[in-house]
Amino acid sequence: MLLIAAHDLLAQDLLAQVFNPTPETPPVADKLLRLVRYFTWFVLLSGVLAIIYAGGRFAWEKWSGGPLQAPKQVAGALIGGIVATSAGTIMNAVIGQ
């Protein structure tokens, strides 16, 4: 009985000291988010340009009759684009949120 009373008293003291902190943005959060947005645009633009370049090269190789290397580039650009656009989802899965 004495242990239960001591446990209740200790629990009340500890619960009284717990507070609810309010989240606050870091000082450089705006600049970091702007950098992430620029990086996102750069990745998307480079992916589109890679697919256009590989498509043009594919047409040139087909027209000139040389060996076809462009389908590998198109597949690589598509896989890279899929990974780049789903990077946020992948990171959330890795972190566990």
Side-chain angles (χ1 to χ4, degrees):
M1 188 63 119
L2 186 60
L3 288 175
I4 293 173
H7 180 271
D8 290 341
L9 183 62
L10 184 62
Q12 288 175 358
D13 287 342
L14 288 177
L15 289 177
Q17 293 176 5
V18 175
F19 62 97
N20 190 7
T22 56
E24 193 174 307
T25 58
V28 259
D30 295 333
K31 293 179 182 179
L32 185 62
L33 287 174
R34 176 179 277 176
L35 181 66
V36 168
R37 288 186 198 114
Y38 285 149
F39 183 70
T40 302
W41 275 109
F42 174 74
V43 168
L44 292 174
L45 181 64
S46 64
V48 169
L49 290 176
I51 290 173
I52 291 171
Y53 172 76
R57 187 165 173 188
F58 183 67
W60 178 259
E61 289 173 356
K62 192 77 168 163
W63 180 70
S64 66
L68 296 179
Q69 297 292 326
K72 294 178 194 173
Q73 289 180 339
V74 172
L78 290 175
I79 292 171
I82 290 169
V83 169
T85 54
S86 61
T89 306
I90 292 170
M91 288 306 293
N92 283 337
V94 169
I95 293 172
Q97 290 183 346

